[in-house]
Amino acid sequence: MARDGILDDRFRTAVERLRVPGMGTEVVAPLLSHLIHLARPRRVLEVGMGYTTPFLAKALAEAEALAEAEAAALTRKTLPYLADGRELDEAWIESEPALLLPAGYRDPYRPRLVAIDDLSDTGSSAPRVEQVLAELGLAERVTVVNSDMRGAVGRLPAEFRPIDFAWVDAWDCLYFFENFWELIDPDGGIVVMHYLMTYPEGEAILQYIAETQRLRPGEFELLNLLESQKLRQNSVTVLRRTSASSPRQYSDAGQQPRLGPQVRADAVALARSLTG
């Protein structure tokens, strides 16, 4: 059940019209796509539209289709165990689709992307994004909020809470950290900020965030990644909010999975939901 490549020819041709060399997102955009597939967030926020927007939208579309296919395949491999009254075992875990947790498929995966941009940056490709999304059949994947960041909190859809994943490609990352942070899911919500390393203003923001982390232990995890070959626009900062993290221990020592009554109950519920 491999997903479509994010750089197929049609997609590559369309998004190339949005690429602005000085924005530095050539590597970051595919990275964001892979993070979407890794985390499977349901509510995704982008601040600063452009080259990355179609990557996010396409990744969400791919992940939704893949989740649906996985749920069906997970049910197919589970039904014989249920019919025979057998307990789930190691062979069940490792058969395709391998390693999947039934509980993760109880609710259909229907992700949503909201993108904030006031379309005022003359050097940005943001004004062309919606046309490219339409050409790629991804326009319905994105809700555009035409606003600057400072006026956007109150304009987000009311049901767009909590935010599971945010990509912030804007100058005022400090404002985002101070004003959007409480909207981020405290159980592992992810914020990725662009270009805070290697210049004084960005480094000052990083110091502020690091000091906040020191003063509020357990609030979030922090990681800075540098594109060392670039002069500027050359980093991402990843924050993972952990203030209300739920324990997730699926296996005992030695990665021996806990295939007890709850996993079986979740597998039964999933099978019934898909087969009637």
Side-chain angles (χ1 to χ4, degrees):
M1 288 187 293
R3 63 188 177 90
D4 293 337
I6 58 173
L7 290 181
D8 61 73
D9 290 342
R10 179 167 170 263
F11 183 79
R12 186 197 303 271
T13 299
V15 300
E16 183 63 21
R17 303 205 311 272
L18 300 177
R19 189 175 70 86
V20 178
M23 294 296 181
T25 51
E26 298 84 0
V27 174
V28 173
L31 172 63
L32 293 172
S33 175
H34 289 300
L35 288 175
I36 292 294
H37 278 276
L38 177 72
R40 285 204 182 164
R42 293 179 180 271
R43 289 167 292 274
V44 178
L45 177 66
E46 179 181 46
V47 181
M49 295 169 61
Y51 183 69
T52 56
T53 310
F55 282 83
L56 291 169
K58 183 173 173 62
L60 290 169
E62 290 173 340
E64 181 175 327
L66 187 57
E68 185 174 346
E70 287 171 345
L74 183 56
T75 293
R76 285 195 297 272
K77 80 171 186 177
T78 302
L79 287 175
Y81 283 84
L82 303 182
D84 298 341
R86 287 181 289 153
E87 295 300 323
L88 305 180
D89 55 18
E90 189 71 25
W92 175 85
I93 293 172
E94 295 189 357
S95 61
E96 291 288 1
L99 309 178
L100 299 184
L101 189 70
Y105 296 85
R106 291 284 300 274
D107 296 323
Y109 179 62
R110 299 290 184 263
R112 185 174 183 184
L113 171 59
V114 173
I116 298 171
D117 203 300
D118 65 1
L119 309 179
S120 65
D121 185 349
T122 57
S124 168
S125 59
R128 303 192 297 275
V129 167
E130 291 186 86
Q131 180 181 352
V132 169
L133 291 172
E135 290 177 14
L136 293 171
L138 296 170
E140 293 184 359
R141 288 275 165 188
V142 186
T143 299
V144 177
V145 175
N146 191 328
S147 170
D148 63 17
M149 192 196 310
R150 291 177 179 264
V153 172
R155 297 184 60 183
L156 294 176
E159 69 280 6
F160 199 67
R161 308 283 193 285
I163 295 168
D164 303 304
F165 187 99
W167 159 239
V168 186
D169 192 5
W171 175 256
D172 202 352
C173 287
L174 181 57
Y175 183 88
F176 184 93
F177 183 66
E178 292 186 327
N179 293 274
F180 285 76
W181 183 248
E182 290 305 314
L183 303 181
I184 304 301
D185 187 356
D187 186 13
I190 295 170
V191 176
V192 183
M193 297 179 174
H194 199 199
Y195 67 86
L196 290 178
M197 298 179 72
T198 72
Y199 69 101
E201 297 94 332
E203 295 286 356
I205 294 173
L206 290 178
Q207 291 175 14
Y208 177 84
I209 293 174
E211 180 65 10
T212 302
Q213 184 186 40
R214 186 186 70 81
L215 294 173
R216 289 151 54 179
E219 173 69 19
F220 60 92
E221 299 167 343
L222 171 65
L223 175 66
N224 293 300
L225 299 172
L226 176 68
E227 287 188 73
S228 58
Q229 73 276 15
K230 290 184 178 178
L231 280 168
R232 64 183 183 189
Q233 304 280 90
N234 55 7
S235 68
V236 292
T237 295
V238 183
L239 309 177
R240 178 175 175 267
R241 195 174 180 202
T242 55
S243 55
S245 291
S246 302
R248 294 177 176 87
Q249 190 168 0
Y250 303 140
S251 299
D252 294 320
Q255 291 198 35
Q256 292 299 314
R258 297 175 175 177
L259 294 177
Q262 187 58 57
V263 174
R264 184 180 180 87
D266 291 333
V268 169
L270 174 63
R272 286 176 175 169
S273 70
L274 295 184
T275 62

